[in-house]
Amino acid sequence: MRFLLDDEQREFARSLDGMLGSAGTPGVVRSWASGDPGPGRALWARLAKAGVFALAVPEEHEGLGPLPVELAVAFGELGRHAVPGPLAETAAAGALLGRLGGDAARAWLPRLASGEAVASLCILSPGGSPYALDADAADAVFVVAGDTVRLAESHGPVQPSADPARRLARPLGGAVLLEGPEVAAAAAHAADVAALATAAQALGLGHTLLERTVAYVRRRTQFGVAVGSFQAVKHRLADTLVALEFAQPLVHAAALALAADDPAAGREVAAAKVAAGEAAHASARTALQLHGALGYTGELDLSLWIRKARPLRDAWGTPAACRARVLA
């Protein structure tokens, strides 16, 4: 199985990296966290123009996909630059409606692919979260309960989160869009797409945290030498890099399994999710420790990345749930 990206995929990643690098994402994140989605929606439109959201939408509905490998590549860059919003949820909603088809797919999928509409998705299940991400900023919140899909008509109050830019609210009410035995299978697939996208985000986030921490310990001095020259610091950074490098092929393998519609894709996704999530969380802890007291300050842009690590680790499958799925 080939885990290396081809030239076109690498160029896609470079183009997104260049665009997001000049987008001022720290300011976008802070605006989103304050309840002002304007800058985030403007960035969303640019991402849509680059084809990011069309990757999860079937071609017959004006999309480019489904292309799970390219989706993972794109979401790695979104995580690398800490882009806010219901990114994985929009991709998962596209996957859900793409599998189910019908009037709802015809009405919403072209809008999701073009970036005209932002969607969130809440799949209600035993032990799962009853909250939807960024329901207050989304144009549509799709709620799956058993064999029913409905479009929420409102939402409850926004709940606090470890990451201020992850605004959680309980979806309320709404009309039934789709109903039938095929909903459960489509929802399971959508959850896998969301987990893959979140794993890729976490991996990109972890790489940024590591890169910025390495740059910082090279500059910071103690006893007249760079902190990065200390053996304990080197070992901590090396362990963080190994975890990220170990997770990378698992994310690619999961994307390839989804692309092939492999029956074992769910386990591949779970393995990728737990590895990438734990690696990102470890990278955040390393960044926090090696930046010292500076790492605790909200004024430091790096804190926007640090505070995303744990929520991404736990979203769409906690480490315990993912390990149980792999071992089942």
mmCIF file of all heavy atoms in Angstrom, residues 122-175:
data_model
loop_
_atom_site.group_PDB
_atom_site.id
_atom_site.type_symbol
_atom_site.label_atom_id
_atom_site.label_comp_id
_atom_site.label_asym_id
_atom_site.label_seq_id
_atom_site.Cartn_x
_atom_site.Cartn_y
_atom_site.Cartn_z
ATOM 1 N N CYS A 122 -24.611 16.585 14.161
ATOM 2 C CA CYS A 122 -24.675 15.966 15.481
ATOM 3 C C CYS A 122 -25.286 14.583 15.313
ATOM 4 O O CYS A 122 -26.428 14.458 14.839
ATOM 5 C CB CYS A 122 -25.532 16.825 16.414
ATOM 6 S SG CYS A 122 -25.710 16.150 18.077
ATOM 7 N N ILE A 123 -24.527 13.548 15.633
ATOM 8 C CA ILE A 123 -25.018 12.172 15.555
ATOM 9 C C ILE A 123 -25.268 11.699 16.976
ATOM 10 O O ILE A 123 -24.321 11.484 17.746
ATOM 11 C CB ILE A 123 -24.026 11.254 14.822
ATOM 12 C CG1 ILE A 123 -23.806 11.757 13.380
ATOM 13 C CG2 ILE A 123 -24.536 9.820 14.810
ATOM 14 C CD1 ILE A 123 -22.794 10.949 12.593
ATOM 15 N N LEU A 124 -26.528 11.567 17.331
ATOM 16 C CA LEU A 124 -26.891 11.189 18.691
ATOM 17 C C LEU A 124 -26.747 9.683 18.857
ATOM 18 O O LEU A 124 -27.298 8.901 18.089
ATOM 19 C CB LEU A 124 -28.331 11.621 18.980
ATOM 20 C CG LEU A 124 -28.607 13.129 18.872
ATOM 21 C CD1 LEU A 124 -30.086 13.415 19.087
ATOM 22 C CD2 LEU A 124 -27.769 13.899 19.878
ATOM 23 N N SER A 125 -25.990 9.287 19.868
ATOM 24 C CA SER A 125 -25.772 7.870 20.131
ATOM 25 C C SER A 125 -25.507 7.701 21.612
ATOM 26 O O SER A 125 -25.130 8.662 22.303
ATOM 27 C CB SER A 125 -24.576 7.353 19.322
ATOM 28 O OG SER A 125 -23.402 8.055 19.679
ATOM 29 N N PRO A 126 -25.696 6.479 22.157
ATOM 30 C CA PRO A 126 -25.418 6.248 23.578
ATOM 31 C C PRO A 126 -23.976 6.610 23.915
ATOM 32 O O PRO A 126 -23.040 6.155 23.267
ATOM 33 C CB PRO A 126 -25.673 4.749 23.746
ATOM 34 C CG PRO A 126 -26.623 4.401 22.640
ATOM 35 C CD PRO A 126 -26.235 5.282 21.488
ATOM 36 N N GLY A 127 -23.816 7.444 24.915
ATOM 37 C CA GLY A 127 -22.483 7.856 25.312
ATOM 38 C C GLY A 127 -21.887 8.959 24.463
ATOM 39 O O GLY A 127 -20.794 9.448 24.754
ATOM 40 N N GLY A 128 -22.593 9.371 23.396
ATOM 41 C CA GLY A 128 -22.088 10.427 22.535
ATOM 42 C C GLY A 128 -22.481 11.809 23.024
ATOM 43 O O GLY A 128 -23.272 11.953 23.949
ATOM 44 N N SER A 129 -21.924 12.813 22.375
ATOM 45 C CA SER A 129 -22.218 14.191 22.761
ATOM 46 C C SER A 129 -23.539 14.648 22.161
ATOM 47 O O SER A 129 -23.810 14.403 20.991
ATOM 48 C CB SER A 129 -21.096 15.128 22.290
ATOM 49 O OG SER A 129 -21.464 16.474 22.495
ATOM 50 N N PRO A 130 -24.375 15.339 22.951
ATOM 51 C CA PRO A 130 -25.625 15.871 22.413
ATOM 52 C C PRO A 130 -25.464 17.253 21.792
ATOM 53 O O PRO A 130 -26.448 17.874 21.398
ATOM 54 C CB PRO A 130 -26.517 15.948 23.660
ATOM 55 C CG PRO A 130 -25.556 16.262 24.761
ATOM 56 C CD PRO A 130 -24.263 15.556 24.412
ATOM 57 N N TYR A 131 -24.210 17.729 21.702
ATOM 58 C CA TYR A 131 -23.959 19.083 21.228
ATOM 59 C C TYR A 131 -23.475 19.086 19.784
ATOM 60 O O TYR A 131 -22.819 18.157 19.319
ATOM 61 C CB TYR A 131 -22.918 19.771 22.110
ATOM 62 C CG TYR A 131 -23.381 19.947 23.534
ATOM 63 C CD1 TYR A 131 -22.904 19.121 24.553
ATOM 64 C CD2 TYR A 131 -24.299 20.935 23.865
ATOM 65 C CE1 TYR A 131 -23.323 19.276 25.859
ATOM 66 C CE2 TYR A 131 -24.729 21.097 25.172
ATOM 67 C CZ TYR A 131 -24.245 20.267 26.167
ATOM 68 O OH TYR A 131 -24.669 20.417 27.463
ATOM 69 N N ALA A 132 -23.795 20.166 19.097
ATOM 70 C CA ALA A 132 -23.295 20.407 17.747
ATOM 71 C C ALA A 132 -22.266 21.522 17.807
ATOM 72 O O ALA A 132 -22.426 22.483 18.567
ATOM 73 C CB ALA A 132 -24.436 20.794 16.810
ATOM 74 N N LEU A 133 -21.212 21.399 17.012
ATOM 75 C CA LEU A 133 -20.171 22.414 16.989
ATOM 76 C C LEU A 133 -20.617 23.608 16.155
ATOM 77 O O LEU A 133 -21.072 23.450 15.017
ATOM 78 C CB LEU A 133 -18.884 21.825 16.405
ATOM 79 C CG LEU A 133 -17.699 22.770 16.265
ATOM 80 C CD1 LEU A 133 -17.245 23.276 17.632
ATOM 81 C CD2 LEU A 133 -16.544 22.093 15.542
ATOM 82 N N ASP A 134 -20.491 24.803 16.732
ATOM 83 C CA ASP A 134 -20.750 26.058 16.027
ATOM 84 C C ASP A 134 -22.145 26.125 15.414
ATOM 85 O O ASP A 134 -22.329 26.643 14.316
ATOM 86 C CB ASP A 134 -19.693 26.283 14.944
ATOM 87 C CG ASP A 134 -18.296 26.438 15.527
ATOM 88 O OD1 ASP A 134 -18.160 27.160 16.525
ATOM 89 O OD2 ASP A 134 -17.363 25.821 14.999
ATOM 90 N N ALA A 135 -23.115 25.627 16.167
ATOM 91 C CA ALA A 135 -24.500 25.686 15.685
ATOM 92 C C ALA A 135 -24.965 27.127 15.497
ATOM 93 O O ALA A 135 -25.823 27.406 14.662
ATOM 94 C CB ALA A 135 -25.429 24.959 16.659
ATOM 95 N N ASP A 136 -24.372 28.045 16.273
ATOM 96 C CA ASP A 136 -24.779 29.448 16.177
ATOM 97 C C ASP A 136 -24.272 30.112 14.908
ATOM 98 O O ASP A 136 -24.821 31.123 14.471
ATOM 99 C CB ASP A 136 -24.282 30.220 17.397
ATOM 100 C CG ASP A 136 -22.759 30.174 17.547
ATOM 101 O OD1 ASP A 136 -22.163 29.137 17.203
ATOM 102 O OD2 ASP A 136 -22.173 31.178 17.994
ATOM 103 N N ALA A 137 -23.225 29.558 14.284
ATOM 104 C CA ALA A 137 -22.654 30.150 13.073
ATOM 105 C C ALA A 137 -23.012 29.376 11.812
ATOM 106 O O ALA A 137 -22.776 29.857 10.703
ATOM 107 C CB ALA A 137 -21.135 30.234 13.204
ATOM 108 N N ALA A 138 -23.574 28.178 11.963
ATOM 109 C CA ALA A 138 -23.859 27.322 10.815
ATOM 110 C C ALA A 138 -25.177 27.697 10.145
ATOM 111 O O ALA A 138 -26.111 28.178 10.784
ATOM 112 C CB ALA A 138 -23.894 25.861 11.248
ATOM 113 N N ASP A 139 -25.229 27.466 8.839
ATOM 114 C CA ASP A 139 -26.468 27.678 8.089
ATOM 115 C C ASP A 139 -27.412 26.496 8.244
ATOM 116 O O ASP A 139 -28.622 26.635 8.039
ATOM 117 C CB ASP A 139 -26.153 27.879 6.603
ATOM 118 C CG ASP A 139 -25.252 29.076 6.375
ATOM 119 O OD1 ASP A 139 -25.700 30.213 6.636
ATOM 120 O OD2 ASP A 139 -24.093 28.880 5.968
ATOM 121 N N ALA A 140 -26.871 25.344 8.559
ATOM 122 C CA ALA A 140 -27.685 24.144 8.742
ATOM 123 C C ALA A 140 -27.030 23.251 9.776
ATOM 124 O O ALA A 140 -25.808 23.069 9.757
ATOM 125 C CB ALA A 140 -27.844 23.386 7.424
ATOM 126 N N VAL A 141 -27.843 22.721 10.686
ATOM 127 C CA VAL A 141 -27.370 21.741 11.662
ATOM 128 C C VAL A 141 -28.171 20.467 11.444
ATOM 129 O O VAL A 141 -29.373 20.428 11.681
ATOM 130 C CB VAL A 141 -27.541 22.239 13.107
ATOM 131 C CG1 VAL A 141 -27.056 21.167 14.086
ATOM 132 C CG2 VAL A 141 -26.785 23.545 13.326
ATOM 133 N N PHE A 142 -27.490 19.434 10.956
ATOM 134 C CA PHE A 142 -28.139 18.151 10.695
ATOM 135 C C PHE A 142 -27.985 17.271 11.931
ATOM 136 O O PHE A 142 -26.885 17.132 12.475
ATOM 137 C CB PHE A 142 -27.517 17.476 9.475
ATOM 138 C CG PHE A 142 -27.645 18.279 8.211
ATOM 139 C CD1 PHE A 142 -26.592 19.059 7.747
ATOM 140 C CD2 PHE A 142 -28.832 18.279 7.491
ATOM 141 C CE1 PHE A 142 -26.712 19.804 6.593
ATOM 142 C CE2 PHE A 142 -28.966 19.031 6.327
ATOM 143 C CZ PHE A 142 -27.897 19.796 5.886
ATOM 144 N N VAL A 143 -29.089 16.688 12.357
ATOM 145 C CA VAL A 143 -29.103 15.847 13.554
ATOM 146 C C VAL A 143 -29.562 14.455 13.163
ATOM 147 O O VAL A 143 -30.628 14.283 12.554
ATOM 148 C CB VAL A 143 -30.036 16.433 14.634
ATOM 149 C CG1 VAL A 143 -30.016 15.560 15.881
ATOM 150 C CG2 VAL A 143 -29.640 17.866 14.973
ATOM 151 N N VAL A 144 -28.752 13.465 13.507
ATOM 152 C CA VAL A 144 -29.087 12.067 13.222
ATOM 153 C C VAL A 144 -29.430 11.380 14.538
ATOM 154 O O VAL A 144 -28.648 11.405 15.485
ATOM 155 C CB VAL A 144 -27.924 11.330 12.542
ATOM 156 C CG1 VAL A 144 -28.294 9.872 12.285
ATOM 157 C CG2 VAL A 144 -27.526 12.024 11.254
ATOM 158 N N ALA A 145 -30.603 10.778 14.583
ATOM 159 C CA ALA A 145 -31.031 9.994 15.740
ATOM 160 C C ALA A 145 -31.652 8.712 15.223
ATOM 161 O O ALA A 145 -32.727 8.733 14.622
ATOM 162 C CB ALA A 145 -32.036 10.776 16.582
ATOM 163 N N GLY A 146 -30.946 7.587 15.413
ATOM 164 C CA GLY A 146 -31.456 6.316 14.916
ATOM 165 C C GLY A 146 -31.548 6.308 13.409
ATOM 166 O O GLY A 146 -30.549 6.500 12.708
ATOM 167 N N ASP A 147 -32.766 6.109 12.888
ATOM 168 C CA ASP A 147 -32.948 6.056 11.436
ATOM 169 C C ASP A 147 -33.567 7.341 10.880
ATOM 170 O O ASP A 147 -34.185 7.332 9.827
ATOM 171 C CB ASP A 147 -33.823 4.850 11.062
ATOM 172 C CG ASP A 147 -35.219 4.927 11.679
ATOM 173 O OD1 ASP A 147 -35.493 5.890 12.437
ATOM 174 O OD2 ASP A 147 -36.041 4.028 11.384
ATOM 175 N N THR A 148 -33.345 8.452 11.584
ATOM 176 C CA THR A 148 -33.943 9.731 11.182
ATOM 177 C C THR A 148 -32.889 10.826 11.091
ATOM 178 O O THR A 148 -32.004 10.922 11.944
ATOM 179 C CB THR A 148 -35.021 10.166 12.197
ATOM 180 O OG1 THR A 148 -36.046 9.166 12.246
ATOM 181 C CG2 THR A 148 -35.659 11.484 11.784
ATOM 182 N N VAL A 149 -32.984 11.638 10.057
ATOM 183 C CA VAL A 149 -32.169 12.841 9.915
ATOM 184 C C VAL A 149 -33.111 14.036 9.920
ATOM 185 O O VAL A 149 -34.079 14.072 9.162
ATOM 186 C CB VAL A 149 -31.366 12.850 8.601
ATOM 187 C CG1 VAL A 149 -30.511 14.123 8.511
ATOM 188 C CG2 VAL A 149 -30.499 11.615 8.477
ATOM 189 N N ARG A 150 -32.834 14.981 10.791
ATOM 190 C CA ARG A 150 -33.648 16.191 10.792
ATOM 191 C C ARG A 150 -32.757 17.423 10.709
ATOM 192 O O ARG A 150 -31.557 17.365 10.987
ATOM 193 C CB ARG A 150 -34.529 16.263 12.037
ATOM 194 C CG ARG A 150 -33.809 16.263 13.368
ATOM 195 C CD ARG A 150 -34.787 16.245 14.544
ATOM 196 N NE ARG A 150 -34.116 16.056 15.817
ATOM 197 C CZ ARG A 150 -33.612 17.033 16.560
ATOM 198 N NH1 ARG A 150 -33.737 18.295 16.140
ATOM 199 N NH2 ARG A 150 -33.001 16.782 17.697
ATOM 200 N N LEU A 151 -33.367 18.526 10.312
ATOM 201 C CA LEU A 151 -32.678 19.803 10.215
ATOM 202 C C LEU A 151 -33.116 20.644 11.404
ATOM 203 O O LEU A 151 -34.274 21.043 11.495
ATOM 204 C CB LEU A 151 -33.029 20.496 8.899
ATOM 205 C CG LEU A 151 -32.367 21.846 8.615
ATOM 206 C CD1 LEU A 151 -30.859 21.683 8.504
ATOM 207 C CD2 LEU A 151 -32.931 22.447 7.329
ATOM 208 N N ALA A 152 -32.179 20.889 12.334
ATOM 209 C CA ALA A 152 -32.535 21.612 13.559
ATOM 210 C C ALA A 152 -33.051 23.006 13.228
ATOM 211 O O ALA A 152 -32.564 23.668 12.311
ATOM 212 C CB ALA A 152 -31.325 21.704 14.480
ATOM 213 N N GLU A 153 -34.058 23.443 13.989
ATOM 214 C CA GLU A 153 -34.621 24.768 13.735
ATOM 215 C C GLU A 153 -34.006 25.837 14.627
ATOM 216 O O GLU A 153 -34.116 27.033 14.335
ATOM 217 C CB GLU A 153 -36.130 24.746 13.936
ATOM 218 C CG GLU A 153 -36.597 24.399 15.354
ATOM 219 C CD GLU A 153 -38.101 24.331 15.465
ATOM 220 O OE1 GLU A 153 -38.778 24.527 14.436
ATOM 221 O OE2 GLU A 153 -38.603 24.091 16.584
ATOM 222 N N SER A 154 -33.355 25.434 15.724
ATOM 223 C CA SER A 154 -32.716 26.387 16.625
ATOM 224 C C SER A 154 -31.678 25.644 17.466
ATOM 225 O O SER A 154 -31.430 24.454 17.250
ATOM 226 C CB SER A 154 -33.756 27.065 17.527
ATOM 227 O OG SER A 154 -34.402 26.108 18.347
ATOM 228 N N HIS A 155 -31.115 26.340 18.413
ATOM 229 C CA HIS A 155 -30.116 25.719 19.289
ATOM 230 C C HIS A 155 -30.185 26.343 20.658
ATOM 231 O O HIS A 155 -30.686 27.463 20.849
ATOM 232 C CB HIS A 155 -28.713 25.867 18.700
ATOM 233 C CG HIS A 155 -28.270 27.296 18.538
ATOM 234 N ND1 HIS A 155 -27.741 28.033 19.574
ATOM 235 C CD2 HIS A 155 -28.292 28.130 17.463
ATOM 236 C CE1 HIS A 155 -27.451 29.244 19.155
ATOM 237 N NE2 HIS A 155 -27.770 29.333 17.876
ATOM 238 N N GLY A 156 -29.668 25.616 21.638
ATOM 239 C CA GLY A 156 -29.620 26.108 22.998
ATOM 240 C C GLY A 156 -28.454 27.061 23.195
ATOM 241 O O GLY A 156 -27.755 27.421 22.236
ATOM 242 N N PRO A 157 -28.210 27.479 24.429
ATOM 243 C CA PRO A 157 -27.113 28.409 24.703
ATOM 244 C C PRO A 157 -25.751 27.785 24.401
ATOM 245 O O PRO A 157 -25.562 26.576 24.523
ATOM 246 C CB PRO A 157 -27.266 28.712 26.194
ATOM 247 C CG PRO A 157 -28.063 27.574 26.742
ATOM 248 C CD PRO A 157 -28.974 27.140 25.651
ATOM 249 N N VAL A 158 -24.822 28.630 23.987
ATOM 250 C CA VAL A 158 -23.463 28.176 23.696
ATOM 251 C C VAL A 158 -22.763 27.814 24.999
ATOM 252 O O VAL A 158 -22.802 28.566 25.973
ATOM 253 C CB VAL A 158 -22.676 29.272 22.951
ATOM 254 C CG1 VAL A 158 -21.214 28.865 22.774
ATOM 255 C CG2 VAL A 158 -23.313 29.556 21.595
ATOM 256 N N GLN A 159 -22.146 26.641 25.006
ATOM 257 C CA GLN A 159 -21.473 26.130 26.200
ATOM 258 C C GLN A 159 -19.973 26.440 26.150
ATOM 259 O O GLN A 159 -19.372 26.481 25.076
ATOM 260 C CB GLN A 159 -21.671 24.614 26.296
ATOM 261 C CG GLN A 159 -23.115 24.186 26.323
ATOM 262 C CD GLN A 159 -23.844 24.712 27.546
ATOM 263 O OE1 GLN A 159 -23.351 24.624 28.662
ATOM 264 N NE2 GLN A 159 -25.025 25.278 27.328
ATOM 265 N N PRO A 160 -19.353 26.656 27.303
ATOM 266 C CA PRO A 160 -17.902 26.900 27.314
ATOM 267 C C PRO A 160 -17.138 25.657 26.889
ATOM 268 O O PRO A 160 -17.598 24.531 27.079
ATOM 269 C CB PRO A 160 -17.617 27.262 28.777
ATOM 270 C CG PRO A 160 -18.749 26.644 29.546
ATOM 271 C CD PRO A 160 -19.944 26.698 28.646
ATOM 272 N N SER A 161 -15.960 25.881 26.320
ATOM 273 C CA SER A 161 -15.120 24.782 25.846
ATOM 274 C C SER A 161 -13.672 25.083 26.196
ATOM 275 O O SER A 161 -13.293 26.238 26.410
ATOM 276 C CB SER A 161 -15.275 24.625 24.328
ATOM 277 O OG SER A 161 -14.310 23.734 23.801
ATOM 278 N N ALA A 162 -12.870 24.032 26.272
ATOM 279 C CA ALA A 162 -11.439 24.225 26.512
ATOM 280 C C ALA A 162 -10.817 25.087 25.424
ATOM 281 O O ALA A 162 -9.869 25.833 25.670
ATOM 282 C CB ALA A 162 -10.735 22.874 26.572
ATOM 283 N N ASP A 163 -11.350 24.996 24.232
ATOM 284 C CA ASP A 163 -10.942 25.848 23.117
ATOM 285 C C ASP A 163 -12.057 26.868 22.895
ATOM 286 O O ASP A 163 -13.146 26.500 22.452
ATOM 287 C CB ASP A 163 -10.726 24.995 21.865
ATOM 288 C CG ASP A 163 -10.463 25.843 20.628
ATOM 289 O OD1 ASP A 163 -10.244 27.062 20.774
ATOM 290 O OD2 ASP A 163 -10.475 25.282 19.517
ATOM 291 N N PRO A 164 -11.827 28.154 23.187
ATOM 292 C CA PRO A 164 -12.896 29.151 23.044
ATOM 293 C C PRO A 164 -13.476 29.227 21.642
ATOM 294 O O PRO A 164 -14.621 29.664 21.468
ATOM 295 C CB PRO A 164 -12.203 30.470 23.429
ATOM 296 C CG PRO A 164 -11.037 30.075 24.259
ATOM 297 C CD PRO A 164 -10.586 28.742 23.719
ATOM 298 N N ALA A 165 -12.706 28.799 20.641
ATOM 299 C CA ALA A 165 -13.202 28.847 19.269
ATOM 300 C C ALA A 165 -14.062 27.636 18.914
ATOM 301 O O ALA A 165 -14.599 27.576 17.808
ATOM 302 C CB ALA A 165 -12.034 28.957 18.290
ATOM 303 N N ARG A 166 -14.201 26.688 19.823
ATOM 304 C CA ARG A 166 -15.123 25.564 19.614
ATOM 305 C C ARG A 166 -16.384 25.862 20.416
ATOM 306 O O ARG A 166 -16.445 25.651 21.616
ATOM 307 C CB ARG A 166 -14.497 24.237 20.070
ATOM 308 C CG ARG A 166 -13.382 23.752 19.170
ATOM 309 C CD ARG A 166 -12.838 22.414 19.629
ATOM 310 N NE ARG A 166 -13.805 21.347 19.485
ATOM 311 C CZ ARG A 166 -14.026 20.670 18.358
ATOM 312 N NH1 ARG A 166 -13.347 20.958 17.266
ATOM 313 N NH2 ARG A 166 -14.919 19.700 18.323
ATOM 314 N N ARG A 167 -17.394 26.375 19.738
ATOM 315 C CA ARG A 167 -18.617 26.850 20.374
ATOM 316 C C ARG A 167 -19.681 25.747 20.263
ATOM 317 O O ARG A 167 -20.185 25.460 19.181
ATOM 318 C CB ARG A 167 -19.073 28.154 19.717
ATOM 319 C CG ARG A 167 -18.020 29.261 19.851
ATOM 320 C CD ARG A 167 -18.334 30.467 18.987
ATOM 321 N NE ARG A 167 -19.630 31.066 19.312
ATOM 322 C CZ ARG A 167 -19.825 31.923 20.306
ATOM 323 N NH1 ARG A 167 -18.808 32.283 21.082
ATOM 324 N NH2 ARG A 167 -21.029 32.431 20.534
ATOM 325 N N LEU A 168 -20.001 25.145 21.380
ATOM 326 C CA LEU A 168 -20.893 23.992 21.410
ATOM 327 C C LEU A 168 -22.285 24.396 21.875
ATOM 328 O O LEU A 168 -22.435 25.159 22.825
ATOM 329 C CB LEU A 168 -20.329 22.921 22.352
ATOM 330 C CG LEU A 168 -18.924 22.429 22.020
ATOM 331 C CD1 LEU A 168 -18.374 21.580 23.153
ATOM 332 C CD2 LEU A 168 -18.922 21.656 20.712
ATOM 333 N N ALA A 169 -23.308 23.869 21.189
ATOM 334 C CA ALA A 169 -24.691 24.153 21.574
ATOM 335 C C ALA A 169 -25.564 22.955 21.220
ATOM 336 O O ALA A 169 -25.286 22.223 20.265
ATOM 337 C CB ALA A 169 -25.209 25.403 20.871
ATOM 338 N N ARG A 170 -26.609 22.768 21.995
ATOM 339 C CA ARG A 170 -27.508 21.643 21.764
ATOM 340 C C ARG A 170 -28.522 22.013 20.674
ATOM 341 O O ARG A 170 -29.247 22.999 20.804
ATOM 342 C CB ARG A 170 -28.240 21.299 23.055
ATOM 343 C CG ARG A 170 -29.025 19.991 23.011
ATOM 344 C CD ARG A 170 -29.856 19.835 24.286
ATOM 345 N NE ARG A 170 -29.010 19.712 25.463
ATOM 346 C CZ ARG A 170 -28.621 18.547 25.975
ATOM 347 N NH1 ARG A 170 -29.006 17.415 25.411
ATOM 348 N NH2 ARG A 170 -27.878 18.510 27.067
ATOM 349 N N PRO A 171 -28.582 21.246 19.568
ATOM 350 C CA PRO A 171 -29.575 21.544 18.530
ATOM 351 C C PRO A 171 -30.983 21.211 19.018
ATOM 352 O O PRO A 171 -31.178 20.226 19.739
ATOM 353 C CB PRO A 171 -29.157 20.638 17.369
ATOM 354 C CG PRO A 171 -28.383 19.530 18.002
ATOM 355 C CD PRO A 171 -27.729 20.106 19.221
ATOM 356 N N LEU A 172 -31.958 22.022 18.604
ATOM 357 C CA LEU A 172 -33.325 21.879 19.090
ATOM 358 C C LEU A 172 -34.312 21.795 17.930
ATOM 359 O O LEU A 172 -34.182 22.512 16.934
ATOM 360 C CB LEU A 172 -33.705 23.079 19.975
ATOM 361 C CG LEU A 172 -32.814 23.364 21.180
ATOM 362 C CD1 LEU A 172 -33.220 24.668 21.843
ATOM 363 C CD2 LEU A 172 -32.861 22.209 22.168
ATOM 364 N N GLY A 173 -35.289 20.909 18.091
ATOM 365 C CA GLY A 173 -36.411 20.833 17.152
ATOM 366 C C GLY A 173 -35.989 20.517 15.735
ATOM 367 O O GLY A 173 -34.907 19.982 15.482
ATOM 368 N N GLY A 174 -36.882 20.846 14.798
ATOM 369 C CA GLY A 174 -36.558 20.689 13.389
ATOM 370 C C GLY A 174 -37.386 19.642 12.680
ATOM 371 O O GLY A 174 -37.902 18.699 13.290
ATOM 372 N N ALA A 175 -37.500 19.835 11.384
ATOM 373 C CA ALA A 175 -38.283 18.928 10.544
ATOM 374 C C ALA A 175 -37.446 17.724 10.124
ATOM 375 O O ALA A 175 -36.229 17.812 9.961
ATOM 376 C CB ALA A 175 -38.774 19.678 9.305
#
